[in-house]
Amino acid sequence: MPPNSNETIFPCPFSKGYGIPAQQAWLLLKVFLGYRLVLAGLFVGLFYSSTNTSLLGTYDSNLFTYSSQSYLILSIISGICVVWRLISYTTQAQLLIFTDILILTLIMHASGGINSGMGVLLAVSIAAGGLLIGGRCAMLFAALASLAVLTEQVVADYTRSFDSTSYANAGMLGAAFFTIALLSYILAKRSEQILQLADQQKRTITKLEDLNKYIIQHLQSGIIITNKQQNIQMANESALRLINLAVLPVNLSDISSHLSLAFQTWLADPEQGLVLLELPDQSQVHSRFTPLPTGNEFFYMIILEDIALYNQQVQQSKLASLGRLTASIAHEIRNPLGAISHAGQLLAENSLLSVQDKRLTQIIQTHSIRVNHIIEDILQLSRRTDSRREQLYLKPWLDNYLENFTLEHSVNRDAFRLSYPAESVCVLIDPGHLRQIMDNLCRNALRHGKPEAGPIILQVFFVQQTPCIAIIDNGAGISSEQQLHLFEPFFTTSSSGTGLGLYISKELAELNQAKLNYYLTDDKRSCFRLCLLNAEQTLIDL
C-alpha cells in the first residue's frame, strides 16, 4: 500500500492503487460519525423514554443497554479523535466499520433477531465502508456482516431464543450486503482508474513544466516578464547574467532607467520595439518587447540578447568574405615579393658592391621579411575556422600552456606567475583559439611589458560569475588616444610589428562569445582581460 500523503490517503491494504483525496476522506468520516452519534443517541434515548413502544431491547434489555451505551461512548471518543486527528484516518475508519458490524449485530439480537428489522442498519455500515475505505475491503466488510448475521441466527436457533428463526431473511440480507459492497467496489475501481489517470497526467504536466522551466532558465537569451506597472514577475538566469545582477530586481528601473523609458515608449508606440541597452559595465544588450496575454492578466515579455551573439554571426560572415579576399591578395603579393627577396639576396653576393650598396640590400631583405610576416598574418584570417567550443578547466590548461610557451620561446618559467581562485573554473571556448589569443598576449607582454622588472601575472578571477583571464605586465601603459585604436587592424606602436596580433585576438574572442579589452590597473600596470563563457552555466543556443 502506497504511503499516505497530505493530498491522498490509501486506506485499503488489499487495493494498493486505490486512494481517496485527504480532504474528502476526512469530511466523509465526519459525516459518518455524525450519523453514528445520532443513531446511538436515538437508541439510548428511545430505550429510556417512558413512551417507548418499539421493539428495542425486548429480548435482552441488559444486552441492549450495554451495547447502545458502548456504541454512544465509542462514537464520542471517535469524534474527539477525528476532530483532533489523534489517530490515522485508515485506523479510525476501519475501527468504526468493525465496531458497527459487531455492536449493531448485538443490538439486533437484543431486539428480537433478524425479524426486528434492525439488520437493515448494517447495510448503511457496509455502504459507509465502501465510501470510507473502498477497494476490496468493501467485500471484506460485506462478508463479515453476512457472517455476523448468519452467526446470530445460528446462536438464536441453537439456544431457541426466539419462537422462529429465518435463515432465508439472513441469506437475502447477506446478498444485499454483497450487492452493496460490489457496487462500492466497482465505483471504487472506477475512481481508482480515474485517480491513476489523473496522477499520470499530473506527472506528465509536471515533467513538461520542469522541461519548460529548464529551457527558459538556460536560454542564451534573457527573458524578463513584467506587468504594465513595470513590476518584474520573473526573470531567467541569462537575464540576470546579462544585466549583471545576482538577485531578481523589483522594477525595470532597478535594471536601467533607459530600459524603463524604452518600455513606456513601446507601450505608447508598439512600433518602437527594439532598443540597445547600455549597461554600467559598458556592455551592450539588445532588448525587444512583446505582449504576453494570459487567462486573467496581461503581461509583457522583454527579451535580452547579448550583442556578442550578433558579433559572432557578423564575425563569421566577415571572416568568410575577408578570408577569400585576403587569400587572393596575399597570393598575388607573395610571388613578386619572393622575386624581390631573391634578387636582393643575389645582389648582396656581388663582391663589387660598395658598403652603402650592401646596406641597401640589407634594407631590402629586412623589409621583405617584414612584408612576408604581414602576409602570413593576413593568411591566418583567410584560414580562420568556425569556433568549436569545448569545456576547459583553466588551471590545468594554463599550467600546460605556460610550460609549452616558455619552452618554445626559450623563456624562464619564473617570468610568469599564475594566480587562481579557490574554486574550480571551467570555461567554454575553442582550445585552438584560446591558445592563439594567449600566444599574442603573452608575446606582447614579453616584448613590451618589461619582464625584467617583475613577473608577468596571469590571473584567473570572476566578474559577475563570468570567468576572466588577466595578463598583467610591468609596461608603462598605453595612452588613452592609442587605446581608441588598439584593436584596429595594422595599428601598432612598434616599428617591427604588423598590427594584426591584437586585431586577430579580438576577432577570435568575439567568435567564441568572449570579450577582450584593455585597461590600467590601480597601480598603473597594463592589463589585457579576456572574459569567457562560464561552462557551469549551461546555455541552450537557439
Side-chain angles (χ1 to χ4, degrees):
M1 183 171 61
N4 295 334
S5 64
N6 294 330
E7 298 181 356
T8 306
I9 295 176
F10 300 89
C12 182
F14 306 112
S15 296
K16 297 182 178 181
Y18 175 70
I20 306 174
Q23 185 177 0
Q24 175 185 343
W26 284 102
L27 178 61
L28 289 174
L29 189 60
K30 290 177 182 179
V31 171
F32 182 62
L33 269 174
Y35 158 76
R36 276 188 53 146
L37 287 170
V38 172
L39 185 61
L42 287 176
F43 283 155
V44 175
L46 291 176
F47 182 76
Y48 289 105
S49 174
S50 58
T51 59
N52 180 23
T53 57
S54 65
L55 298 176
L56 298 179
T58 54
Y59 170 70
D60 190 339
S61 59
N62 289 331
L63 178 61
F64 183 86
T65 300
Y66 296 143
S67 299
S68 59
Q69 290 178 351
S70 300
Y71 195 48
L72 180 60
I73 293 172
L74 287 175
S75 298
I76 294 174
I77 295 175
S78 297
I80 296 173
C81 292
V82 168
V83 172
W84 294 96
R85 298 194 180 182
L86 301 177
I87 306 176
S88 67
Y89 171 85
T90 301
T91 302
Q92 292 194 75
Q94 291 175 353
L95 286 176
L96 287 176
I97 303 302
F98 286 138
T99 54
D100 251 32
I101 294 173
L102 176 62
I103 295 177
L104 289 179
T105 302
L106 294 176
I107 290 176
M108 179 184 67
H109 182 76
S111 301
I114 196 170
N115 293 325
S116 64
M118 300 293 291
V120 177
L121 296 175
L122 286 172
V124 179
S125 301
I126 301 305
L131 292 174
L132 295 175
I133 299 178
R136 295 184 178 89
C137 292
M139 304 300 292
L140 173 63
F141 297 142
L144 291 176
S146 301
L147 184 62
V149 171
L150 182 60
T151 302
E152 188 275 334
Q153 285 296 293
V154 172
V155 171
D157 189 20
Y158 181 76
T159 59
R160 300 192 179 276
S161 303
F162 312 122
D163 295 334
S164 63
T165 56
S166 178
Y167 287 99
N169 289 341
M172 288 188 292
L173 196 57
F177 293 160
F178 274 99
T179 301
I180 295 172
L182 182 61
L183 292 175
S184 300
Y185 176 74
I186 294 174
L187 291 175
K189 194 67 176 178
R190 185 176 180 183
S191 299
E192 181 179 344
Q193 294 172 351
I194 294 174
L195 184 64
Q196 290 176 349
L197 179 61
D199 186 59
Q200 181 181 358
Q201 292 176 343
K202 180 181 178 181
R203 289 196 300 269
T204 302
I205 293 173
T206 302
K207 289 180 181 178
L208 290 176
E209 288 179 349
D210 292 341
L211 180 61
N212 290 336
K213 184 178 179 180
Y214 179 85
I215 293 174
I216 292 173
Q217 287 296 331
H218 293 81
L219 283 174
Q220 279 193 338
S221 300
I223 304 291
I224 297 177
I225 306 299
T226 182
N227 57 16
K228 194 171 185 180
Q229 291 73 33
Q230 301 190 17
N231 296 321
I232 296 177
Q233 310 295 316
M234 187 274 288
N236 66 353
E237 295 177 1
S238 296
L240 297 178
R241 176 178 55 84
L242 290 174
I243 61 181
N244 292 326
L245 292 178
V247 296
L248 182 68
V250 178
N251 196 276
L252 288 182
S253 59
D254 298 333
I255 300 175
S256 169
S257 57
H258 185 198
L259 181 63
S260 176
L261 181 60
F263 180 72
Q264 292 179 354
T265 304
W266 175 76
L267 289 178
D269 182 10
E271 297 296 327
Q272 306 294 325
L274 290 173
V275 62
L276 184 60
L277 184 62
E278 298 280 351
L279 297 177
D281 63 346
Q282 299 182 348
S283 61
Q284 294 179 328
V285 176
H286 273 144
S287 304
R288 291 188 289 121
F289 308 108
T290 181
L292 192 66
T294 59
N296 300 321
E297 298 184 60
F298 203 89
F299 293 100
Y300 302 91
M301 182 168 62
I302 303 175
I303 302 174
L304 305 177
E305 294 178 329
D306 192 349
I307 201 170
L309 296 175
Y310 292 99
N311 291 340
Q312 181 188 17
Q313 296 171 359
V314 172
Q315 195 63 26
Q316 290 176 347
S317 176
K318 182 171 65 174
L319 288 178
S321 58
L322 183 61
R324 291 190 294 269
L325 176 63
T326 54
S328 60
I329 294 176
H331 178 73
E332 295 299 326
I333 294 176
R334 174 169 280 183
N335 288 336
L337 179 64
I340 293 172
S341 177
H342 184 63
Q345 290 176 0
L346 293 177
L347 185 61
E349 295 176 358
N350 189 345
S351 59
L352 300 177
L353 289 179
S354 63
V355 176
Q356 292 82 3
D357 291 338
K358 287 186 177 181
R359 174 60 181 163
L360 292 177
T361 59
Q362 290 177 358
I363 293 174
I364 293 174
Q365 292 300 318
T366 300
H367 286 279
S368 295
I369 293 173
R370 183 182 177 187
V371 173
N372 187 64
H373 287 165
I374 294 175
I375 293 174
E376 290 292 340
D377 288 340
I378 292 176
L379 286 176
Q380 287 184 11
L381 296 177
S382 65
R383 301 185 188 120
R384 193 76 59 243
T385 58
D386 292 340
S387 173
R388 297 178 180 178
R389 287 174 287 182
E390 301 176 7
Q391 288 188 354
L392 296 179
Y393 286 94
L394 284 185
K395 186 178 188 307
W397 191 91
L398 285 175
D399 286 334
N400 181 67
Y401 168 77
L402 272 185
E403 291 294 333
N404 294 329
F405 180 83
T406 54
L407 185 63
E408 291 172 4
H409 294 80
S410 301
V411 179
N412 194 325
R413 179 65 174 77
D414 295 335
F416 292 90
R417 190 178 74 205
L418 283 171
S419 174
Y420 301 105
E423 64 270 27
S424 175
V425 182
C426 186
V427 299
L428 202 63
I429 192 171
D430 187 315
H433 291 171
L434 178 59
R435 182 176 297 277
Q436 191 170 350
I437 295 172
M438 293 299 298
D439 281 344
N440 287 330
L441 297 179
C442 290
R443 281 199 299 262
N444 284 344
L446 287 174
R447 187 180 301 118
H448 308 291
K450 299 180 180 179
E452 67 276 3
I456 299 168
I457 300 174
L458 270 62
Q459 182 180 11
V460 180
F461 58 97
F462 283 92
V463 177
Q464 296 289 342
Q465 298 183 347
T466 300
C468 298
I469 305 174
I471 295 89
I472 306 172
D473 59 44
N474 305 294
I478 301 174
S479 65
S480 56
E481 293 80 7
Q482 292 175 338
Q483 289 182 31
L484 297 176
H485 309 284
L486 187 59
F487 295 101
E488 293 180 0
F490 304 108
F491 173 79
T492 179
T493 58
S494 173
S495 59
S496 60
T498 63
L500 287 174
L502 289 179
Y503 170 72
I504 293 174
S505 299
K506 183 81 170 180
E507 299 286 302
L508 290 175
E510 291 183 354
L511 196 61
N512 289 271
Q513 297 182 32
K515 295 178 181 178
L516 177 63
N517 53 42
Y518 172 85
Y519 67 94
L520 290 175
T521 62
D522 295 336
D523 53 354
K524 303 302 179 182
R525 301 174 69 183
S526 290
C527 176
F528 284 92
R529 185 174 69 183
L530 177 65
C531 292
L532 308 166
L533 287 178
N534 191 342
E536 301 296 335
Q537 297 176 343
T538 307
L539 299 177
I540 299 175
D541 190 1
L542 296 179

